[in-house]
């Protein structure tokens, strides 16, 4: 029995070894595949990352064209002309043989001129820079290598310039312009020119309408050529649908005009054309009707979008007017005031004042672009203020960004005598009148470029009028003004003390001329009023900054105090040791290197003993002591 059991165990062990030899490679292969899949999943996100930054890629090594430059835009216009020539003339020359035969030398010359433009375009595309990691790549070797290994070069640009004209050597294809249809592959440059022009033009809606008209005319032109080819294939005069027999004696211009007219009627589905007779004619007409419906829907949709975008501002004004009318009706406002409100909203629309300037300047522009745009729009107005003539340029730049537009209607008071002055005004457009208390007598008329209200926001000490308005100012018509608030002015002037002194001195000189200055008062009153002008957030920020500066000063004072006490104790100990009045009472058994001074031990011991005393006697909870 034992022998049989041993034989069974040996056979089982052999069977297990056999299974292990057979199935172990398979399991190992499965595990290997799982590891490879996991590794590929881990490496997959890395494939989407940008290539590493190399400094040599951004060095200028040769001629590189910037796609944001106008030179690149002009070149796109030239290559677009070449593409449009091929799109329009190749089908027309193939359909109308007489036009191709009569001017064959001209067409061949133009073909090769525009082929040369295609070749130049390949060179320029290989030298067109792009942005990588936010930097402009100027290395033409890198640009050329990327372009010549791209899908765009092999599938579109290279195929579009293949010399298919060599087929002219075959009598069957002698001067057949249709063999040059591979030039159509460069149509993406035409789309690029359209997008770039649309983004740069000041009349985008007009440009979109023009592009839509050109696209419609191009489709009608192609359909015209196809219709003439079908007529030639079926034979002139074979039925009522094709051209009559007399078409053989007509000129090319007359034939093209009739075919273009017929194509326009068919694609627009608005004209009466002869009914088709043959099956091929029915197929062509049905196809044209289908294309015509798509064209009609596209035109209507695009025109509707353009018209709605043009009238968007008017729709906004209309919605506001409707809301205000409902509000005035609900509150029982009289008709006189209602007509005044409606006239005001109409003025805003007709003079294009519905744009919110703050939203425009605070859009997706960068901070520097916002400053540049504000400087371009407002700097000329701000330079008209005499108080700011001799100020630093940076001060003017910061003040420019603080100007806000405001509008007034006829008869509106800008300020009244005795009001607290909270802002100064610059007249951008319109006229204002300095009037009497009853508003009937006009003393002075302020025109465009005039500035008023600047003295009341300076808080000049000794001003007899204080910060009160000294006159009544009323708008004669519709007026466009810019305002600078007192709070914004002082927030900026805090960083420019020299300019502040000059501005205050100029303000004092103006008050002295009118005998409105009391020289006995100091600047303390002005600083108090200046602090009262700050908002809660600015006050908190100012207190936090003051608290921080006090903490720093107290910390420095304590450090200086501790250092002076330590120095005093060291000098006192030296005097006691030198005169024998004191002997060392602490002996250390450890070996201290001779280079280490014993004064460090006294210093650390003094810090441990007196640290708690300093903290205990600290008068402020925010003091920080060096541990």
């Amino acid at each position: 029995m034992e022998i049989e059991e041993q034989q069974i165990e040996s056979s089982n062990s052999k069977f297990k070894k056999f299974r292990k030899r057979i199935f172990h490679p398979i399991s190992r292969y499965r595990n290997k595949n799982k590891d490879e899949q996991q590794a590929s999943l881990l490496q997959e996100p890395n494939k989407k990352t940008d290539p590493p930054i190399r400094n040599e890629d951004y060095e200028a090594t040769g001629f590189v064209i910037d796609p944001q430059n106008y030179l690149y835009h002009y070149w796109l216009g030239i290559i677009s002309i070449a593409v449009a020539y091929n799109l329009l003339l190749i089908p027309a020359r193939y359909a109308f043989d007489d036009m191709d035969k009569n001017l064959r030398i001209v067409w061949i010359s133009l073909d090769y001129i525009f082929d040369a433009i295609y070749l130049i375009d390949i060179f320029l595309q290989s030298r067109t820079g792009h942005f990588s990691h936010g930097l402009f790549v100027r290395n033409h070797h890198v640009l050329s290598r990327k372009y010549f290994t791209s899908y765009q070069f092999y599938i579109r640009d290279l195929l579009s310039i293949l010399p298919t004209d060599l087929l002219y050597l075959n009598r069957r294809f002698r001067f057949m312009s249709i063999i040059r249809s591979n030039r159509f592959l460069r149509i993406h440059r035409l789309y690029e020119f359209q997008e770039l022009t649309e983004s740069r033009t000041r009349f985008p809606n007009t440009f979109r309408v023009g592009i839509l008209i050109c696209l419609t005319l191009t489709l009608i032109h192609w359909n015209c050529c196809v219709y003439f080819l079908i007529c030639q294939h079926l034979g002139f005069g074979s039925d009522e649908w094709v051209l009559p027999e007399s078409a053989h004696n007509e000129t090319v211009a007359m034939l093209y005009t009739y075919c273009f007219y017929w194509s326009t009627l068919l694609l627009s589905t608005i004209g009466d054309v002869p009914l088709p007779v043959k099956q091929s004619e029915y197929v062509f007409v049905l196809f044209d009707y289908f294309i015509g419906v798509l064209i009609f829907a596209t035109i209507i949709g695009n025109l509707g979008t353009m018209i709605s975008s043009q009238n968007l501002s008017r729709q906004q004004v209309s919605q506001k007017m409707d809301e205000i009318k409902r509000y005035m009706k609900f509150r029982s406002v009289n008709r006189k005031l209602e007509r005044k409100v409606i006239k005001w909203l109409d003025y805003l629309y007709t003079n294009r004042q519905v744009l919110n300037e703050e939203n425009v300047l605070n859009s997706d522009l960068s901070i520097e672009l916002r400053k540049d745009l504000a400087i371009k729009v407002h700097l000329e107005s701000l330079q008209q203020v005499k108080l700011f003539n001799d100020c630093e340029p940076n001060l003017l730049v910061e003040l420019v960004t603080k100007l806000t537009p405001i509008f007034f209607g006829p008869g509106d008071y800008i300020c009244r005598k005795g009001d607290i002055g909270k802002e100064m005004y610059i007249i951008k457009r319109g006229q204002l009148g300095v009037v009497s208390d009853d508003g009937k007598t006009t003393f002075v008329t302020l025109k465009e470029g005039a500035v008023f209200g600047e003295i009341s926001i300076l808080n000049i000490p000794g001003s007899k009028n204080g910060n009160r308005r000294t006159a009544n100012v009323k708008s004669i018509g519709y007026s466009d003004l810019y305002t600078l608030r007192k709070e914004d002015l002082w927030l900026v002037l805090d960083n420019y003390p020299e300019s502040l002194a000059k501005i205050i001195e100029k303000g004092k000189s103006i008050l002295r001329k009118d005998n409105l200055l009391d020289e006995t008062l100091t600047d303390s009153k002005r600083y108090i009023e200046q602090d009262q002008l700050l908002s809660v957030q600015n006050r908190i920020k100012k207190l936090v900054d003051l608290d921080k500066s006090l903490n720093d000063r107290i910390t420095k004072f304590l450090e200086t105090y501790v250092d002076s006490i330590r120095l005093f104790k060291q000098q006192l100990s030296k005097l006691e040791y030198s005169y024998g009045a004191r002997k060392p009472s602490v002996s250390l058994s450890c070996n201290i290197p001779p280079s280490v001074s014993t004064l460090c031990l006294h210093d650390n011991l003094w810090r441990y003993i007196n640290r708690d005393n300093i903290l205990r006697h600290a008068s402020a909870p925010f003091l920080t002591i060096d541990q």
Side-chain angles (χ1 to χ4, degrees), residues 566-584:
R566 182 173 65 250
L567 181 62
F568 173 75
K569 291 180 69 67
Q570 291 175 359
Q571 293 176 354
L572 182 62
S573 300
K574 288 181 180 179
L575 289 175
E576 290 177 349
Y577 293 149
S578 61
Y579 289 101
R582 182 180 177 184
K583 294 182 179 180

Side-chain angles (χ1 to χ4, degrees), residues 137-161:
V137 180
R138 299 181 180 274
N139 192 324
H140 73 279
H141 299 291
V142 176
L143 296 174
S144 300
R145 182 169 59 251
K146 182 178 180 181
Y147 171 71
F148 288 119
T149 57
S150 64
Y151 166 86
Q152 173 185 342
F153 171 70
Y154 286 104
I155 303 301
R156 295 189 295 188
D157 296 341
L158 185 60
L159 291 179
S160 66
I161 203 60

Side-chain angles (χ1 to χ4, degrees), residues 409-425:
D412 293 342
Y413 276 89
I414 286 83
C415 61
R416 294 180 182 270
K417 188 176 181 179
D419 292 345
I420 297 176
K422 297 181 180 180
E423 59 269 326
M424 60 173 288
Y425 299 94

Side-chain angles (χ1 to χ4, degrees), residues 66-82:
D66 187 356
Q68 297 181 348
N69 196 345
Y70 276 96
L71 178 63
Y72 183 76
H73 191 194
Y74 297 149
W75 173 253
L76 283 179
I78 295 174
I79 190 63
S80 297
I81 293 174

Side-chain angles (χ1 to χ4, degrees), residues 543-560:
L543 290 174
V544 170
D545 295 338
L546 181 61
D547 179 69
K548 184 178 180 181
S549 63
L550 289 176
N551 281 334
D552 295 338
R553 294 175 64 182
I554 294 174
T555 302
K556 290 181 181 179
F557 170 76
L558 287 177
E559 290 178 353
T560 306

Side-chain angles (χ1 to χ4, degrees), residues 292-325:
V293 170
L294 293 179
I295 293 175
F296 184 77
T298 304
I299 293 175
I300 295 300
N302 283 279
L303 289 178
T305 303
M306 295 174 192
I307 293 172
S308 62
S309 62
Q310 287 181 345
N311 295 332
L312 181 60
S313 58
R314 181 59 179 174
Q315 292 175 1
Q316 293 176 353
V317 173
S318 299
Q319 292 177 359
K320 292 179 181 178
M321 290 176 65
D322 294 340
E323 292 177 359
I324 294 174
K325 286 178 181 178

